[in-house]
Amino acid sequence: MKLYYAPGACSLGIHVILEEIGVPHTGQLVNLREGMQYQPAFKAVNPKSKVPVLELDDGTALTEWIAIAGYLAAMFPEAGLEPADRLERARAMSYISYINGTMHTQGFTRIFRPERFSPNPEEKEAVRAEGRRIFSEGFDLMEQALGEREWLLGSYSIADAALFYVSFWAEGRNTVPLPPGIAAHYARMKARPAVVRAMTQEGLI
């Protein structure tokens, strides 16, 4: 399999999952700053011009974080990255959907891409402030969900990989402060060998 990624982007979470599973894979760097996602070669792989993309052995290209993570967890059950219980699987998808669809898309994107929400330069800081509010509120909600547990579902799952990539954006890019429980979760994630490998390969540590 081949993972199309950008260092430190949301694709980092998928990279972590691949390392946790231990399945052979290669990485294909997509330089977002240079606009590689809009070049014909990449658009032929993903017309949506974004990472992550997971290219399977038969050439099939999977896109969208939630779909890729769910596919990997289901295809490699021996890794134990999704619960066997259907309700708990739904809970995992609920957390991931919120992280991916609200914290990421509505919160973090407002902070770093305010022009997508308003073409008026005078509104840029107001857009960013709203992004920080949404992003911070998301961490507060995830703190409540985590409670006293080490992992969101009690045992480690793909939901923790999702929480990790937004925590990396908060802590590593000094975006918003992490609540104590999420900060502890982030520290536990960084100590996992799979996370160390993924971050090392992406040049993040």
Side-chain angles (χ1 to χ4, degrees):
M1 292 190 286
K2 179 191 294 185
L3 175 67
Y4 290 81
Y5 75 98
C10 62
S11 50
L12 174 61
I14 299 299
H15 198 165
V16 166
I17 292 170
L18 285 167
E19 290 294 334
E20 292 282 1
I21 291 170
V23 62
H25 63 277
T26 60
Q28 177 64 56
L29 174 66
V30 180
N31 193 319
L32 302 182
R33 292 185 177 181
E34 294 182 359
M36 287 180 63
Q37 69 272 34
Y38 301 115
Q39 297 302 312
F42 183 72
K43 285 181 71 70
V45 177
N46 185 10
K48 290 177 278 190
S49 297
K50 63 179 184 177
V51 296
V53 179
L54 184 66
E55 188 175 273
L56 307 183
D57 294 341
D58 65 359
T60 300
L62 291 180
T63 64
E64 302 299 331
W65 205 101
I66 300 173
I68 296 170
Y71 172 82
L72 289 172
M75 288 299 294
F76 299 93
E78 65 277 7
L81 295 183
E82 68 174 0
D85 180 78
R86 290 183 179 180
L87 178 59
E88 286 301 293
R89 281 207 303 274
R91 199 185 311 279
M93 289 298 106
S94 175
Y95 293 148
I96 293 170
S97 296
Y98 180 76
I99 290 167
N100 199 251
T102 299
M103 294 182 68
H104 174 172
T105 307
Q106 297 300 320
F108 187 78
T109 304
R110 274 183 165 84
I111 300 170
F112 277 85
R113 295 288 185 269
E115 68 278 2
R116 294 185 181 179
F117 295 87
S118 174
N120 188 347
E122 295 179 357
E123 296 179 353
K124 181 181 294 186
E125 289 310 313
V127 170
R128 283 177 168 156
E130 177 63 5
R132 284 190 289 271
R133 185 196 68 78
I134 294 170
F135 205 42
S136 183
E137 180 181 71
F139 283 116
D140 289 340
L141 290 172
M142 289 299 103
E143 173 99 334
Q144 294 175 31
L146 184 64
E148 299 299 320
R149 298 186 298 272
E150 289 192 348
W151 310 113
L152 279 170
L153 298 175
S155 59
Y156 183 84
S157 74
I158 54 176
D160 296 293
L163 181 56
F164 170 71
Y165 86 75
V166 288
S167 297
F168 171 75
W169 288 349
E171 182 77 12
R173 300 183 182 182
N174 196 29
T175 308
V176 298
L178 293 176
I182 301 300
H185 178 275
Y186 182 56
R188 284 191 291 273
M189 288 295 296
K190 289 194 297 181
R192 293 181 72 88
V195 175
V196 173
R197 290 194 299 271
M199 294 186 75
T200 300
Q201 291 166 22
E202 295 195 15
L204 301 173
I205 55 176

